Amino acid sequence: MAKVGTPQTSPTLPTPAQGVRWTTPIVETPGIVVLASWIWRLTRFLVTLPFRFPVLVATVAVSFAAWWWLDWPGLAGFWATAAVASLVWWRTWPDSYRRCVPLRVLAWWRHVFVYRRHWQPVLVISGLAESYQERRYLPRIRRVTCDTWADRVRVSLVAGTSPTDFETRVAELAHGFQAPSCRVVVDGPRRITLEFPRHDTLADPIDALDIPDAVDLAALPVGIREDGSPWLLRLHGTHVLVAGVTGAGKGSVIWSAVRAMLPAIDTGTAQVWAIDPKRMELSYGRALFAQYADTGEAAVAVLESAVEQMQHRAARYAGKRRSHTPTAEDPFVLVVLDEVAFLTAYHPDRDIRKRSENAIATLTSQGRSVGFAVLAALQDPRKEVMNLRNLFPDKVALRLDEASQVDMILGEGARDRGANAHLIDPTLPGVGYVRMETSPAPLRVRAAYVSDDNITAMTDVYGVEEA
Ligand SMILES: Nc1ncnc2c1ncn2[C@@H]1O[C@H](COP(=O)(O)OP(=O)(O)OP(=O)(O)O)[C@@H](O)[C@H]1O
Ligand SMILES: [Mg+2]
């Protein structure tokens, strides 16, 4: 009997030391099976064709029938009737015509001449498919659809690959198909959609949005997303950090949020406490704020007073309720901090730095469920400057200086997934990336620009003059 732990070798199999290599036997598929498979594919293609392209098949069939039975005049008559019918459709229902006809033609065109044509080289070069020979292992395009701003390419993945493989190659895919960006949407098991915008929908500034009639503090409209839908910012139940170099447009995010809250400020169910060390950003709308501070000492006093009120409220709620509903008695309090690093890193007085850091840490770690939120702006996201950034659950990355700062703000892997905040054009202030709870893929957004005139109008209507 062999001793335990002694490797046993079969006397019949050669050992690697003898220099013989073991290779998997190659079993050739019989020709008849290959032929049957091709016939099956052809039959399936012909049978499903009328269901996949009904208008195309009907048009070809009717053209052929008109030519067969009525000769050339019949064919010409059919096409003339089709042209008149299209014209009538276009004049009567222009929207539905534009949606159906030009976008479908465009989708077909882009499918054939852009995506199918470049699919294999782009995927192979970007490392998403094995080699030019192995077509079996090439992810398959299922369908291409177009709307007014983007192409959507539905893809079936090959077994063994995951949507993350695509998410980390979005830059290569965008370049490969000459799109400004690419986003990966997971549709289901082994199914994804690649979204390629055809042009930059955020290139033009957005005017200040209309003040909503009813305020939803969990979804304040502050700008638009790349697909044209509203960018809704959650403030109640979270804290938000907005990072970006000087001139990136942090002010527009802050002001858009304040603007969207105005009716709640008016009814007293929400308050904004503003800290404005630069005295440039928020002083203009001072009349809208329940508290305002522009010096280090005053700022710490405001922060510590917020902590005190928060703890008082928490003590009242203890054992009675676990969440906060904004009311005039217990309003939602938003502490807005412009250039938070001034207080936590740059202020010359060590005591001010320490006390502000403590107050911000207490507010961000305990304020969420009792109706206190912090909205902070920051130029430099490095740890030496702002070591509290992880206490902010939601973050917005506007234009940043360095690629390494993207993941500092949006979390690990955000840059790989296409959040190129360091490449944002300096002529596009207010453009940035956010991560939504629903998807790990970052979204490109642009904040609406609230001008000085807008702020004046806001303070005229909603402001309260100091006594
Ligand atoms: N959303 C926007 N759309 C268009 N233009 C904008 C937008 N936001 C800002 N701008 C323009 O960019 C300029 C700088 O913006 P802003 O003052 O908000 O930058 P910032 O990030 O707050 O910079 P700083 O850190 O120096 O305060 C503004 O004066 C305005 O002209
Ligand atoms: Mg600013």
Side-chain angles (χ1 to χ4, degrees):
M1 204 175 89
K3 274 196 224 157
V4 177
T6 307
Q8 297 183 37
T9 46
S10 158
T12 50
L13 282 178
T15 61
Q18 287 170 283
V20 179
R21 211 150 48 89
W22 174 260
T23 52
T24 315
I26 296 169
V27 181
E28 296 243 336
T29 312
I32 185 75
V33 175
V34 175
L35 186 68
S37 138
W38 278 105
I39 293 172
W40 160 244
R41 282 187 197 190
L42 182 67
T43 315
R44 195 179 55 178
F45 172 74
L46 291 175
V47 169
T48 56
L49 200 62
F51 300 101
R52 288 197 291 151
F53 303 104
V55 178
L56 182 75
V57 172
T59 310
V60 172
V62 175
S63 303
F64 184 74
W67 171 76
W68 184 261
W69 280 296
L70 306 170
D71 218 331
W72 293 107
L75 184 61
F78 167 68
W79 278 104
T81 314
V84 171
S86 302
L87 198 70
V88 170
W89 179 11
W90 174 50
R91 299 299 299 174
T92 322
W93 300 287
D95 276 352
S96 98
Y97 179 85
R98 239 174 272 135
R99 241 191 344 264
C100 289
V101 182
L103 289 176
R104 287 209 171 190
V105 173
L106 182 67
W108 174 83
W109 178 271
R110 307 233 354 130
H111 187 167
V112 174
F113 293 103
V114 178
Y115 298 107
R116 212 161 59 193
R117 184 157 162 236
H118 300 297
W119 189 244
Q120 194 174 4
V122 170
L123 263 71
V124 170
I125 292 166
S126 58
L128 288 163
E130 267 303 307
S131 75
Y132 285 92
Q133 281 80 37
E134 294 290 359
R135 282 194 72 91
R136 282 177 301 165
Y137 301 130
L138 187 67
R140 201 159 55 85
I141 299 181
R142 294 172 53 76
R143 194 164 179 214
V144 176
T145 51
C146 292
D147 65 15
T148 45
W149 76 281
D151 299 342
R152 288 191 184 77
V153 182
R154 276 207 247 157
V155 178
S156 292
L157 303 184
V158 266
T161 55
S162 75
T164 316
D165 297 331
F166 280 73
E167 282 168 354
T168 54
R169 303 292 202 307
V170 285
E172 289 83 351
L173 290 169
H175 281 286
F177 295 110
Q178 297 183 346
S181 62
C182 169
R183 217 168 89 78
V184 179
V185 181
V186 181
D187 299 328
R190 284 212 224 152
R191 297 269 163 94
I192 58 168
T193 297
L194 301 175
E195 198 173 80
F196 294 101
R198 282 194 301 280
H199 60 271
D200 186 359
T201 45
L202 305 179
D204 296 323
I206 303 148
D207 290 337
L209 302 179
D210 290 342
I211 298 167
D213 294 332
V215 178
D216 181 355
L217 293 164
L220 296 163
V222 293
I224 61 164
R225 290 154 51 154
E226 200 169 26
D227 62 2
S229 60
W231 169 24
L232 303 173
L233 185 73
R234 179 188 191 92
L235 285 179
H236 192 253
T238 188
H239 309 283
V240 181
L241 181 65
V242 185
V245 296
T246 180
K250 299 181 289 296
S252 61
V253 179
I254 293 177
W255 276 113
S256 293
V258 172
R259 184 175 170 85
M261 285 173 61
L262 285 175
I265 294 175
D266 197 36
T267 55
T269 52
Q271 291 182 359
V272 178
W273 296 19
I275 294 172
D276 185 24
K278 286 194 282 191
R279 298 182 184 147
M280 290 297 294
E281 191 65 71
L282 304 171
S283 57
Y284 210 61
R286 205 173 165 147
L288 297 169
F289 307 132
Q291 306 256 3
Y292 177 86
D294 54 8
T295 63
E297 291 74 15
V300 175
V302 167
L303 285 170
E304 288 177 343
S305 147
V307 170
E308 202 181 301
Q309 288 208 15
M310 177 196 74
Q311 287 174 337
H312 182 66
R313 192 180 285 178
R316 271 196 294 121
Y317 284 9
K320 298 196 183 84
R321 50 198 285 194
R322 291 175 55 201
S323 63
H324 168 257
T325 308
T327 59
E329 293 74 43
D330 274 348
F332 167 69
V333 175
L334 178 69
V335 179
V336 175
L337 274 161
D338 190 34
E339 199 40 61
V340 58
F342 170 80
L343 289 176
T344 60
Y346 307 145
H347 198 281
D349 186 337
R350 193 171 171 278
D351 185 49
I352 299 272
R353 293 203 303 269
K354 200 80 220 128
R355 283 168 59 201
S356 0
E357 206 170 282
N358 285 345
I360 296 168
T362 315
L363 277 174
T364 46
S365 55
Q366 298 172 20
R368 208 176 54 81
S369 52
V370 285
F372 281 72
V374 180
L375 170 61
L378 176 71
Q379 284 182 359
D380 182 350
R382 283 170 307 142
K383 216 176 181 101
E384 312 80 271
V385 176
M386 177 68 177
N387 59 14
L388 300 176
R389 57 167 195 259
N390 289 343
L391 291 174
F392 291 80
D394 291 332
K395 298 176 192 99
V396 180
L398 301 179
R399 182 161 61 88
L400 294 172
D401 261 339
E402 295 163 16
S404 60
Q405 295 178 349
V406 176
D407 286 6
M408 279 181 208
I409 294 297
L410 295 179
E412 195 115 316
R415 185 161 67 92
D416 285 340
R417 289 186 156 107
N420 289 314
H422 57 299
L423 301 180
I424 292 174
D425 193 324
T427 61
L428 299 177
V431 170
Y433 291 88
V434 287
R435 255 178 160 169
M436 297 282 163
E437 286 161 14
T438 46
S439 153
L443 276 182
R444 197 160 165 267
V445 293
R446 185 162 196 175
Y449 180 53
V450 182
S451 66
D452 292 357
D453 289 346
N454 293 137
I455 299 173
T456 309
M458 285 156 59
T459 50
D460 284 351
V461 178
Y462 296 94
V464 179
E465 284 309 321
E466 282 178 71

